[in-house]
Amino acid sequence: MRGGTGRAVVRNGYELSGAVRPGPAELLRYLRVSALRRAAHAKRRTLDRLARVREPGPVAVQP
């Protein structure tokens, strides 16, 4: 995650909302939840991929 003051946002024509930057505890919680969700997504993709590899092919199914 990148930190910043929003200069790139303003430079691209957007206005800042005026909200204060979240505290360190909130940022840490966000990063932890984000990491857990990314890991769950990667695990699901891996398990789906393994299931597809283990499926019998069309040749094995024919009598």
PDB file of all heavy atoms in Angstrom, residues 5 19 23-24 26 35 38-40 42-44 46-47 51 53 59 62:
ATOM      1  N   THR A   5      -0.154  12.094   0.059  1.00  0.00           N
ATOM      2  CA  THR A   5      -1.009  13.191   0.482  1.00  0.00           C
ATOM      3  C   THR A   5      -2.147  13.417  -0.490  1.00  0.00           C
ATOM      4  O   THR A   5      -2.959  14.305  -0.290  1.00  0.00           O
ATOM      5  CB  THR A   5      -0.188  14.485   0.593  1.00  0.00           C
ATOM      6  OG1 THR A   5       0.400  14.760  -0.678  1.00  0.00           O
ATOM      7  CG2 THR A   5       0.887  14.357   1.638  1.00  0.00           C
ATOM      8  N   ALA A  19     -11.460  14.045   4.508  1.00  0.00           N
ATOM      9  CA  ALA A  19     -11.429  13.100   5.617  1.00  0.00           C
ATOM     10  C   ALA A  19     -10.002  12.991   6.163  1.00  0.00           C
ATOM     11  O   ALA A  19      -9.028  13.159   5.429  1.00  0.00           O
ATOM     12  CB  ALA A  19     -11.903  11.730   5.152  1.00  0.00           C
ATOM     13  N   GLY A  23      -5.963   6.094  11.524  1.00  0.00           N
ATOM     14  CA  GLY A  23      -4.884   5.868  12.480  1.00  0.00           C
ATOM     15  C   GLY A  23      -4.117   4.593  12.178  1.00  0.00           C
ATOM     16  O   GLY A  23      -4.558   3.747  11.395  1.00  0.00           O
ATOM     17  N   PRO A  24      -2.961   4.426  12.805  1.00  0.00           N
ATOM     18  CA  PRO A  24      -2.131   3.245  12.558  1.00  0.00           C
ATOM     19  C   PRO A  24      -2.849   1.923  12.857  1.00  0.00           C
ATOM     20  O   PRO A  24      -2.686   0.950  12.140  1.00  0.00           O
ATOM     21  CB  PRO A  24      -0.944   3.429  13.492  1.00  0.00           C
ATOM     22  CG  PRO A  24      -0.925   4.873  13.825  1.00  0.00           C
ATOM     23  CD  PRO A  24      -2.328   5.364  13.714  1.00  0.00           C
ATOM     24  N   GLU A  26      -6.065   1.298  12.606  1.00  0.00           N
ATOM     25  CA  GLU A  26      -7.022   1.041  11.532  1.00  0.00           C
ATOM     26  C   GLU A  26      -6.313   0.585  10.267  1.00  0.00           C
ATOM     27  O   GLU A  26      -6.793  -0.323   9.572  1.00  0.00           O
ATOM     28  CB  GLU A  26      -7.853   2.290  11.243  1.00  0.00           C
ATOM     29  CG  GLU A  26      -8.802   2.658  12.357  1.00  0.00           C
ATOM     30  CD  GLU A  26      -9.582   3.915  12.033  1.00  0.00           C
ATOM     31  OE1 GLU A  26     -10.104   4.000  10.909  1.00  0.00           O
ATOM     32  OE2 GLU A  26      -9.658   4.790  12.894  1.00  0.00           O
ATOM     33  N   ALA A  35      -4.787  -9.007   3.598  1.00  0.00           N
ATOM     34  CA  ALA A  35      -3.884 -10.142   3.400  1.00  0.00           C
ATOM     35  C   ALA A  35      -4.631 -11.461   3.540  1.00  0.00           C
ATOM     36  O   ALA A  35      -4.413 -12.397   2.758  1.00  0.00           O
ATOM     37  CB  ALA A  35      -2.730 -10.076   4.393  1.00  0.00           C
ATOM     38  N   ARG A  38      -6.723 -11.970   0.385  1.00  0.00           N
ATOM     39  CA  ARG A  38      -5.873 -12.353  -0.760  1.00  0.00           C
ATOM     40  C   ARG A  38      -5.429 -13.797  -0.635  1.00  0.00           C
ATOM     41  O   ARG A  38      -5.419 -14.546  -1.616  1.00  0.00           O
ATOM     42  CB  ARG A  38      -4.660 -11.434  -0.851  1.00  0.00           C
ATOM     43  CG  ARG A  38      -4.936 -10.116  -1.528  1.00  0.00           C
ATOM     44  CD  ARG A  38      -3.646  -9.393  -1.910  1.00  0.00           C
ATOM     45  NE  ARG A  38      -2.653  -9.361  -0.857  1.00  0.00           N
ATOM     46  CZ  ARG A  38      -2.569  -8.413   0.073  1.00  0.00           C
ATOM     47  NH1 ARG A  38      -3.413  -7.411   0.067  1.00  0.00           N
ATOM     48  NH2 ARG A  38      -1.634  -8.464   1.000  1.00  0.00           N
ATOM     49  N   ALA A  39      -5.079 -14.219   0.583  1.00  0.00           N
ATOM     50  CA  ALA A  39      -4.646 -15.602   0.802  1.00  0.00           C
ATOM     51  C   ALA A  39      -5.793 -16.575   0.542  1.00  0.00           C
ATOM     52  O   ALA A  39      -5.588 -17.631  -0.064  1.00  0.00           O
ATOM     53  CB  ALA A  39      -4.116 -15.761   2.224  1.00  0.00           C
ATOM     54  N   ALA A  40      -6.987 -16.237   0.975  1.00  0.00           N
ATOM     55  CA  ALA A  40      -8.144 -17.097   0.746  1.00  0.00           C
ATOM     56  C   ALA A  40      -8.427 -17.220  -0.746  1.00  0.00           C
ATOM     57  O   ALA A  40      -8.749 -18.304  -1.250  1.00  0.00           O
ATOM     58  CB  ALA A  40      -9.368 -16.555   1.481  1.00  0.00           C
ATOM     59  N   ALA A  42      -6.235 -16.882  -3.198  1.00  0.00           N
ATOM     60  CA  ALA A  42      -5.160 -17.688  -3.797  1.00  0.00           C
ATOM     61  C   ALA A  42      -5.377 -19.171  -3.487  1.00  0.00           C
ATOM     62  O   ALA A  42      -5.175 -20.035  -4.354  1.00  0.00           O
ATOM     63  CB  ALA A  42      -3.803 -17.227  -3.275  1.00  0.00           C
ATOM     64  N   LYS A  43      -5.792 -19.477  -2.267  1.00  0.00           N
ATOM     65  CA  LYS A  43      -6.051 -20.868  -1.899  1.00  0.00           C
ATOM     66  C   LYS A  43      -7.187 -21.439  -2.741  1.00  0.00           C
ATOM     67  O   LYS A  43      -7.095 -22.566  -3.242  1.00  0.00           O
ATOM     68  CB  LYS A  43      -6.409 -20.936  -0.415  1.00  0.00           C
ATOM     69  CG  LYS A  43      -6.727 -22.324   0.068  1.00  0.00           C
ATOM     70  CD  LYS A  43      -7.101 -22.314   1.542  1.00  0.00           C
ATOM     71  CE  LYS A  43      -7.504 -23.688   2.019  1.00  0.00           C
ATOM     72  NZ  LYS A  43      -7.919 -23.672   3.429  1.00  0.00           N
ATOM     73  N   ARG A  44      -8.257 -20.669  -2.904  1.00  0.00           N
ATOM     74  CA  ARG A  44      -9.400 -21.125  -3.707  1.00  0.00           C
ATOM     75  C   ARG A  44      -8.984 -21.363  -5.147  1.00  0.00           C
ATOM     76  O   ARG A  44      -9.344 -22.377  -5.752  1.00  0.00           O
ATOM     77  CB  ARG A  44     -10.524 -20.094  -3.615  1.00  0.00           C
ATOM     78  CG  ARG A  44     -11.827 -20.550  -4.230  1.00  0.00           C
ATOM     79  CD  ARG A  44     -12.983 -19.617  -3.886  1.00  0.00           C
ATOM     80  NE  ARG A  44     -12.683 -18.218  -4.135  1.00  0.00           N
ATOM     81  CZ  ARG A  44     -12.540 -17.290  -3.197  1.00  0.00           C
ATOM     82  NH1 ARG A  44     -12.634 -17.605  -1.927  1.00  0.00           N
ATOM     83  NH2 ARG A  44     -12.282 -16.041  -3.513  1.00  0.00           N
ATOM     84  N   THR A  46      -5.977 -22.104  -6.240  1.00  0.00           N
ATOM     85  CA  THR A  46      -5.099 -23.271  -6.275  1.00  0.00           C
ATOM     86  C   THR A  46      -5.900 -24.566  -6.179  1.00  0.00           C
ATOM     87  O   THR A  46      -5.651 -25.513  -6.932  1.00  0.00           O
ATOM     88  CB  THR A  46      -4.073 -23.196  -5.132  1.00  0.00           C
ATOM     89  OG1 THR A  46      -3.328 -21.980  -5.258  1.00  0.00           O
ATOM     90  CG2 THR A  46      -3.125 -24.373  -5.152  1.00  0.00           C
ATOM     91  N   LEU A  47      -6.857 -24.620  -5.258  1.00  0.00           N
ATOM     92  CA  LEU A  47      -7.665 -25.825  -5.107  1.00  0.00           C
ATOM     93  C   LEU A  47      -8.506 -26.086  -6.356  1.00  0.00           C
ATOM     94  O   LEU A  47      -8.663 -27.240  -6.777  1.00  0.00           O
ATOM     95  CB  LEU A  47      -8.550 -25.718  -3.868  1.00  0.00           C
ATOM     96  CG  LEU A  47      -7.805 -25.741  -2.532  1.00  0.00           C
ATOM     97  CD1 LEU A  47      -8.766 -25.526  -1.373  1.00  0.00           C
ATOM     98  CD2 LEU A  47      -7.037 -27.037  -2.370  1.00  0.00           C
ATOM     99  N   ALA A  51      -8.219 -29.396  -8.742  1.00  0.00           N
ATOM    100  CA  ALA A  51      -9.406 -30.185  -9.077  1.00  0.00           C
ATOM    101  C   ALA A  51      -9.525 -30.352 -10.591  1.00  0.00           C
ATOM    102  O   ALA A  51      -9.872 -31.440 -11.073  1.00  0.00           O
ATOM    103  CB  ALA A  51     -10.658 -29.518  -8.509  1.00  0.00           C
ATOM    104  N   VAL A  53      -7.050 -30.313 -12.765  1.00  0.00           N
ATOM    105  CA  VAL A  53      -5.971 -31.187 -13.234  1.00  0.00           C
ATOM    106  C   VAL A  53      -6.328 -32.651 -12.975  1.00  0.00           C
ATOM    107  O   VAL A  53      -6.003 -33.524 -13.782  1.00  0.00           O
ATOM    108  CB  VAL A  53      -4.643 -30.807 -12.536  1.00  0.00           C
ATOM    109  CG1 VAL A  53      -3.586 -31.871 -12.731  1.00  0.00           C
ATOM    110  CG2 VAL A  53      -4.155 -29.468 -13.050  1.00  0.00           C
ATOM    111  N   VAL A  59     -10.594 -38.799 -23.210  1.00  0.00           N
ATOM    112  CA  VAL A  59     -10.127 -40.096 -23.692  1.00  0.00           C
ATOM    113  C   VAL A  59     -10.334 -41.169 -22.620  1.00  0.00           C
ATOM    114  O   VAL A  59     -10.737 -42.290 -22.914  1.00  0.00           O
ATOM    115  CB  VAL A  59      -8.640 -40.029 -24.108  1.00  0.00           C
ATOM    116  CG1 VAL A  59      -8.127 -41.401 -24.502  1.00  0.00           C
ATOM    117  CG2 VAL A  59      -8.460 -39.029 -25.235  1.00  0.00           C
ATOM    118  N   GLN A  62     -14.060 -42.497 -22.439  1.00  0.00           N
ATOM    119  CA  GLN A  62     -14.606 -43.329 -23.523  1.00  0.00           C
ATOM    120  C   GLN A  62     -14.394 -44.806 -23.227  1.00  0.00           C
ATOM    121  O   GLN A  62     -13.354 -45.187 -22.692  1.00  0.00           O
ATOM    122  CB  GLN A  62     -13.928 -42.974 -24.851  1.00  0.00           C
ATOM    123  CG  GLN A  62     -14.264 -41.570 -25.322  1.00  0.00           C
ATOM    124  CD  GLN A  62     -13.553 -41.230 -26.616  1.00  0.00           C
ATOM    125  OE1 GLN A  62     -12.750 -41.994 -27.111  1.00  0.00           O
ATOM    126  NE2 GLN A  62     -13.860 -40.062 -27.152  1.00  0.00           N
TER     127      GLN A  62
END
